[in-house]
Amino acid sequence: MSVLVVVLAVSAACCLGFGFVLQQNAAQRAPLGDFLSPRLLLDLVRVPRWLAGTGLTVAGMVLGAIALGGGELTLVEPLLATNLLFALALSRLQTRQPLGPQGWAGLALLAGGVTAFILAGEPRGGSAVSDPLRHWLIIGVMLGAALVLTACAGRFRLTWGPTLLALAAGLLYGVQDALTRVSGRRFSAGGLAELLTGWQPYVVVVLGVTGLVLVQSAFETAPLRRSLPALTAAQPLAGIACGVGFLGDRLRTDTAALAWEAGGLASVVAGIVLLGMHPAMPQGTGESGRERALQRR
């Protein structure tokens, strides 16, 4: 395990966590008519706080891409999930809420789960699967699920909509991370010419923009606690599935290791839920008024 990869991944998580909080602070004031529309980005780009949050998010993605270039997806993805810790830290400064038993329990579950998964699984690289059918099957399932979740979110904006959008964005970001890893391999093998002749970097951009619209729409319609936990949980699970499924990442598969890996991932998800529901997470301003406006639409 490379210490540099760990440092890069945790630094990426820090930037992402801070960036998500700033983005949600701004997105909650965006026009409701921009829901699931690219116009939402055009409105938000005029808001300095959103630009600052987006700058941090982009920095996090760049750091994450560098980490993926030097480490396995199955190692980097669980570390990126710790972005929720940094989001909670910034939110606590804004709300001045104490961490309390719920916060400490969530922190312990998330940190302990990441540690257990990495130590038990011992993620390591391997040969990528050459069968294109397997690539497209896994990617197709992820994208198809994201499409279904997005369609359902449009019908249940007042209830499960933000959570469904965040889940969809998490799946897209997991696939994006996997294709970022593939793009890095192509660049290492043949330079810029090899990179630009493949389809992967262009899909990475499309997935990034689409995920951004989904996330900002989720941030626009509900407080952070109803979207960020789902986003944070879905991305590493999707990324690990892609890493093991077609990138050749290998984990220990003996009975004890599999038990610890499953327990670690379950602990990560439980910690994410506890931290995401913590009172320190931004509630949003004028939420009830926005819900009444949505009900009138």
Side-chain angles (χ1 to χ4, degrees):
M1 186 189 306
S2 169
V3 174
L4 179 59
V5 169
V6 173
V7 171
L8 286 170
V10 173
S11 299
C14 178
C15 291
L16 291 171
F18 289 169
F20 287 147
V21 173
L22 294 178
Q23 284 181 331
Q24 198 274 335
N25 290 163
Q28 66 185 356
R29 297 176 176 85
L32 292 173
D34 289 350
F35 183 77
L36 286 180
S37 169
R39 291 195 310 272
L40 176 59
L41 301 183
L42 296 178
D43 286 328
L44 290 175
V45 78
R46 305 169 189 167
V47 183
R49 182 175 289 245
W50 187 84
L51 289 176
T54 301
L56 284 170
T57 303
V58 170
M61 290 181 175
V62 171
L63 290 172
I66 297 173
L68 288 169
E72 288 69 43
L73 202 63
T74 46
L75 169 62
V76 175
E77 287 288 7
L79 293 172
L80 291 179
T82 61
N83 73 75
L84 198 61
L85 300 178
F86 298 100
L88 181 62
L90 180 57
S91 296
R92 282 191 66 210
L93 290 177
Q94 294 178 342
T95 62
R96 301 188 182 278
Q97 286 276 354
L99 198 58
Q102 179 180 341
W104 284 112
L107 189 154
L109 285 170
L110 178 55
V114 170
T115 302
F117 178 83
I118 292 174
L119 292 180
E122 296 180 2
R124 55 202 182 279
S127 300
V129 177
S130 57
D131 182 9
L133 178 61
R134 190 164 171 179
H135 287 70
W136 289 112
L137 179 62
I138 295 173
I139 293 175
V141 168
M142 298 290 180
L143 299 185
L147 182 61
V148 171
L149 289 169
T150 303
C152 292
R155 298 174 61 88
F156 301 103
R157 278 195 281 180
L158 292 179
T159 52
W160 290 99
T163 302
L164 296 177
L165 284 179
L167 284 172
L171 294 178
L172 295 185
Y173 284 153
V175 175
Q176 182 190 37
D177 289 341
L179 296 182
T180 298
R181 173 75 168 153
V182 175
S183 299
R185 288 179 175 177
R186 292 180 64 90
F187 182 77
S188 298
L192 189 60
E194 178 73 13
L195 173 65
L196 296 179
T197 54
W199 55 270
Q200 291 88 352
Y202 306 104
V203 176
V204 165
V205 174
V206 172
L207 291 176
V209 174
T210 304
L212 185 62
V213 173
L214 296 181
V215 169
Q216 301 311 311
S217 294
F219 288 171
E220 176 193 26
T221 52
L224 204 61
R225 63 177 62 186
R226 287 174 57 187
S227 55
L228 191 54
L231 171 66
T232 306
Q235 182 175 353
L237 296 178
I240 290 171
C242 291
V244 175
F246 62 83
L247 287 180
D249 286 8
R250 292 181 294 172
L251 298 169
R252 288 178 57 194
T253 55
D254 57 272
T255 303
L258 287 175
W260 277 102
E261 290 162 24
L265 288 178
S267 178
V268 167
V269 174
I272 286 171
V273 172
L274 282 178
L275 291 175
M277 299 299 293
H278 194 277
M281 282 295 180
Q283 294 263 4
T285 58
E287 180 186 355
S288 60
R290 295 181 74 81
E291 290 189 352
R292 288 194 296 269
L294 280 171
Q295 288 173 334
R296 291 196 297 268
R297 287 180 61 80

